[in-house]
Amino acid sequence: MTTIQETRPDAGVPGTGAPSAEEETLRLYRAHLSKGRATLAELFGSHMEVESSGVWLTTSDGERFLNAGGYGVFIMGARHPRVVEAVERQLRTHPAATRILLEPTAARAAESLVSVMPEGLDRVHFALSGAEAVETGLKLARANGFRRTVSMTGGYHGKTLGALSATAKDVYQQPFRPLVPDFLHLPFGDADALEAELSAHPGEVCVILEPVQGEGGVIMPPKGYLKQVEQLVREYDGFLILDEIQSGLGRLGEWWGADIEGVVPDVMLTGKALGGGVVPVSAAVATRKAFRPFDKDPFLHTATFSGQPLLMAAVQASIETIREERLVTKAVDIGGTLLPKLTEIARRNIPDLLVDVRGRGLLIGVELVEAGLAGELLIELFNHGVVANHSMNGSAVVRFTPPATLTGTDVQYLLDSFDKATRDLVQGSAKMPEGGN
């Protein structure tokens, strides 16, 4: 197995016997957070991330890494000055609201978000995590009378109880069963299977899916599939939720994956990049008809930190930044360079280990022949100064979600690092005993 370059001290602070900062952090993780997470960290040399700026991440020992990970959060990089300034300004004036009186930053943030949504989506509920946004969408469906829910195999919607019921992976579901009843999982891209379910239960079915399955391993739908889904849902009087928590806000080279085929769902879910990589915030944005139960009773679905001013300042600044810096267009341009060149490098360096390289915009997946090799590639990338992601529902896929603020130099650094990492992956796999990993 490939081992990462060791950079932390071997025996704490020299001459004192005291543990190093890395060793102390590992101890605290094991004592209070997660033993498994601490063990995983050791595979990456127990580095601690302590600073971020733009596309770069700095660790406690002063090493810098290009951040092509972050699970889609950093479309504008880390600590974008405009977002930071807006958050700091709000922090100094009014960071948290009473939730009793009206509050202007929430109103302005909602207006900003609606301004970039497909036409007809104009009612907003803000939350913190993506899973909370999913729960909001599922509750809107139930409140409108849709008691059956269809999600797609390989889809990922979070791990709270309702969201987990839609996340079709046994390893995450098994410890928590029974889950929410009346959830069915169908193959992603199979319009015929969806029609069979909708036609069997007209007027009863909520469909939730992603335009591209990010955690599924960057699984692209057949051309026209999303439009087919929308048409079938309308034909059989269903309810459509598009989960764009990872794919939205420019990640695919459009504001939303829905825009690719002109789809307008009943509810659109967004998050991750919505807080500008500075604060956690998500939202469910619905049509007036879909939102009617929440309009009728404002206390039906609430949360203490929904729409808090500090978060709303970040939302408004993030949307303005994406728009004014043309980050959606830049995602197209940068992705148009990265995808073919990553493909070329992978086919040249690891042809026998490679299944596919695929993606759209700045959501790119490299699928290997087995999950262990994907883990090895992540470590090799880290050895060469790049942070990427694994895929929770597609464990053989290494996923790149870099910012749309990469410069030409940054792009070349990423490509050079990928070239070196794949070359080292071949050497490492050649040394492995037959049948080992």
Side-chain angles (χ1 to χ4, degrees):
M1 179 176 181
T2 304
T3 55
I4 198 160
Q5 297 168 358
E6 185 62 62
T7 57
R8 61 190 177 94
D10 290 330
V13 180
T16 68
S20 68
E22 292 86 351
E23 290 167 336
E24 177 64 5
T25 299
L26 275 173
R27 183 189 71 79
L28 293 173
Y29 262 79
R30 288 197 176 95
H32 305 300
L33 291 170
S34 168
K35 291 181 180 179
R37 183 68 181 81
T39 299
L40 181 62
E42 288 183 301
L43 293 175
F44 288 84
S46 303
H47 287 263
M48 294 191 305
E49 54 184 88
V50 296
E51 185 179 344
S52 57
S53 179
V55 304
W56 295 94
L57 177 73
T58 304
T59 58
S60 57
D61 49 20
E63 287 196 70
R64 296 176 77 235
F65 297 84
L66 189 148
N67 186 4
Y71 298 97
V73 168
F74 299 104
I75 193 67
M76 62 195 74
R79 292 197 302 118
H80 191 285
R82 186 165 188 166
V83 180
V84 170
E85 180 184 1
V87 169
E88 288 179 340
R89 184 169 58 248
Q90 194 65 43
L91 183 64
R92 290 192 298 268
T93 55
H94 185 53
T98 65
R99 303 282 292 152
I100 300 298
L101 307 177
L102 297 182
E103 195 282 311
T105 60
R108 290 195 295 266
E111 181 183 44
S112 292
L113 182 54
V114 166
S115 75
V116 297
M117 280 282 161
E119 188 174 356
L121 295 167
D122 59 9
R123 289 290 196 276
V124 183
H125 175 84
F126 286 109
L128 292 178
S129 70
E132 287 179 88
V134 172
E135 298 287 350
T136 301
L138 295 175
K139 287 180 72 176
L140 276 170
R142 293 293 172 99
N144 278 284
F146 297 91
R147 304 301 184 193
R148 300 178 64 86
T149 305
V150 169
S151 63
M152 305 304 160
T153 303
Y156 185 89
H157 304 286
K159 292 173 181 166
T160 53
L161 204 58
L164 181 59
S165 301
T167 297
K169 187 162 185 177
D170 184 72
V171 69
Y172 301 140
Q173 290 188 344
Q174 184 58 47
F176 307 105
R177 289 177 176 145
L179 299 172
V180 179
D182 298 322
F183 273 73
L184 174 69
H185 310 300
L186 297 177
F188 185 62
D190 190 339
D192 291 338
L194 179 60
E195 182 171 18
E197 174 65 17
L198 288 167
S199 63
H201 304 280
E204 299 180 26
V205 180
C206 164
V207 177
I208 179 170
L209 78 165
E210 304 154 275
V212 174
Q213 291 187 328
E215 295 293 349
V218 192
I219 305 301
M220 313 295 292
K223 187 175 181 180
Y225 171 68
L226 289 181
K227 195 64 180 178
Q228 279 184 290
V229 170
E230 181 190 32
Q231 290 168 347
L232 288 170
V233 168
R234 300 303 169 222
E235 181 179 350
Y236 294 103
D237 298 319
F239 191 93
L240 180 59
I241 301 173
L242 272 188
D243 183 343
E244 299 241 26
I245 291 164
Q246 183 166 171
S247 60
L249 295 169
R251 175 61 57 188
L252 300 180
E254 298 278 357
W255 272 100
W256 310 100
D259 296 338
I260 296 169
E261 295 184 4
V263 172
V264 181
D266 297 288
V267 181
M268 181 91 84
L269 309 178
T270 181
K272 294 192 183 293
L274 189 59
V278 176
V279 298
V281 61
S282 63
V285 187
T287 64
R288 294 188 182 193
K289 180 180 179 182
F291 203 76
R292 193 172 296 154
F294 288 6
D295 262 339
K296 184 177 179 181
D297 183 353
F299 297 106
L300 193 62
H301 181 69
T302 61
T304 300
F305 293 105
S306 172
Q308 286 288 8
L310 193 71
L311 312 180
M312 299 298 95
V315 168
Q316 191 174 0
S318 296
I319 292 169
E320 290 171 354
T321 299
I322 294 171
R323 178 186 279 127
E324 294 178 15
E325 296 191 5
R326 299 175 60 250
L327 297 187
V328 177
T329 300
K330 289 180 181 179
V332 175
D333 295 340
I334 297 170
T337 297
L338 282 176
L339 182 58
K341 290 190 176 180
L342 289 171
T343 302
E344 177 189 344
I345 292 168
R347 288 176 176 170
R348 181 179 67 242
N349 291 352
I350 52 171
D352 296 333
L353 308 180
L354 181 69
V355 174
D356 192 19
V357 182
R358 55 183 176 262
R360 184 182 178 106
L362 292 175
L363 179 58
I364 299 171
V366 178
E367 184 175 1
L368 302 174
V369 294
E370 61 179 57
L373 288 169
E376 293 291 310
L377 180 55
L378 282 170
I379 292 173
E380 296 295 1
L381 283 164
F382 195 82
N383 280 337
H384 292 290
V386 170
V387 174
N389 289 137
H390 70 289
S391 299
M392 290 189 180
N393 281 0
S395 56
V397 178
V398 171
R399 189 155 35 106
F400 294 91
T401 54
T405 54
L406 292 174
T407 65
T409 301
D410 298 331
V411 168
Q412 191 58 53
Y413 181 92
L414 175 55
L415 293 171
D416 290 344
S417 296
F418 184 71
D419 184 43
K420 296 170 186 174
T422 49
R423 290 176 186 274
D424 287 350
L425 181 66
V426 172
Q427 294 176 3
S429 63
K431 295 176 183 176
M432 286 172 20
E434 188 173 347
N437 58 24

